[in-house]
Amino acid sequence: MIEDLGIRGVALVRGARHHDDRGFLRKVLVSEEARAHGLDVGVAEVVTTTNEVAGTIRGMHYQVAPSAEAKTLWVTDGALLDVLVDLRPDEPTYGQWVAVELSAGDDVALHVPTGIAHGYQTLEDDTRLTYLISTGHSPDHARTLAYDDPTVGIEWPMAPTRISVKDREGHAWPPAP
C-alpha cells in the first residue's frame, strides 16, 4: 500500500512481512506498484548509512539537474525522524516541509522524488538506513540546504549531537540552483 504524505511524490510504501519458523522475509518495494502510483523507483546506486549516536543529523541534501535524484529508503536498525522540504517552485507546497518517524520494525519505505531536500535526525544509537537512488552521485550537482534555516523552520526533536561541516554550512533559503 502506498500512502501520500501531502507533498506530491513523497510517499510511504508499506511493505509486507512474511513469518515462518526461520524468521521473516520483508518485501520492501514492488516497482510495478510504485510506478503505477507515479513514483520513480529506478536504481543507479544502493547505499547504506550508519549513524552511531542518537541526535545525529544528515541533510538537507539534494542534487540538481541533470543529476537530480529520487530516493527510496528504509531503516534497517534503530529509528529516526526523516524530514523533506519541497524545492519545486511550481508546486503549491514549495518551501513546505513534512516529517515522518521511521524505524526498523515498521515495514515502511519512504519515497523521495526529485526536487525534494532530504535529511534526518537519528532517534536511537546505531541507526542504519538503506537507500535505492535513481541517479549516481554527482559532486558538481550536489547541494545542501541549511538544516536550521529559520525561513524553513524545521522542528528537530533534539539538539544535534553530530553533524558534518558540509551539513552545518548548508545554503540558506531559497535553495541553491
Side-chain angles (χ1 to χ4, degrees):
M1 180 180 92
I2 297 176
E3 175 187 341
D4 293 319
L5 292 180
I7 293 177
R8 186 180 59 80
V10 175
L12 288 178
V13 180
R14 299 203 180 274
R17 189 178 284 220
H18 304 283
H19 293 269
D20 67 20
D21 60 345
R22 299 167 293 174
F24 70 87
L25 174 140
R26 178 180 172 192
K27 188 176 285 191
V28 176
L29 176 71
V30 178
S31 294
E32 184 176 312
E33 179 184 351
R35 280 193 301 274
H37 198 78
L39 306 181
D40 174 10
V41 294
V43 178
E45 294 182 350
V46 178
V47 176
T48 299
T49 63
T50 299
N51 306 275
E52 297 174 350
V53 179
T56 298
I57 289 181
R58 289 187 188 246
M60 303 294 297
H61 302 146
Y62 60 102
Q63 285 193 181
V64 296
S67 295
E69 60 187 13
K71 305 173 190 175
T72 302
L73 60 100
W74 61 95
V75 176
T76 57
D77 292 290
L80 56 82
L81 182 74
D82 204 290
V83 179
L84 307 124
V85 178
D86 194 340
L87 307 179
R88 303 167 296 182
D90 295 337
E91 290 293 326
T93 51
Y94 177 66
Q96 295 179 22
W97 62 275
V98 64
V100 61
E101 191 171 319
L102 302 173
S103 70
D106 62 14
D107 293 333
V108 172
L110 176 66
H111 182 75
V112 182
T114 60
I116 301 290
H118 170 258
Y120 61 85
Q121 183 172 43
T122 59
L123 303 175
E124 296 179 8
D125 291 346
D126 298 317
T127 294
R128 291 176 181 81
L129 288 87
T130 298
Y131 295 81
L132 307 177
I133 304 174
S134 66
T135 303
H137 181 70
S138 173
D140 291 342
H141 299 94
R143 306 288 187 272
T144 302
L145 178 67
Y147 77 97
D148 60 352
D149 185 284
T151 303
V152 179
I154 297 170
E155 297 171 12
W156 298 101
M158 62 183 84
T161 55
R162 292 188 180 172
I163 187 165
S164 72
V165 171
K166 178 183 89 165
D167 291 352
R168 203 175 319 113
E169 296 175 350
H171 296 284
W173 188 266

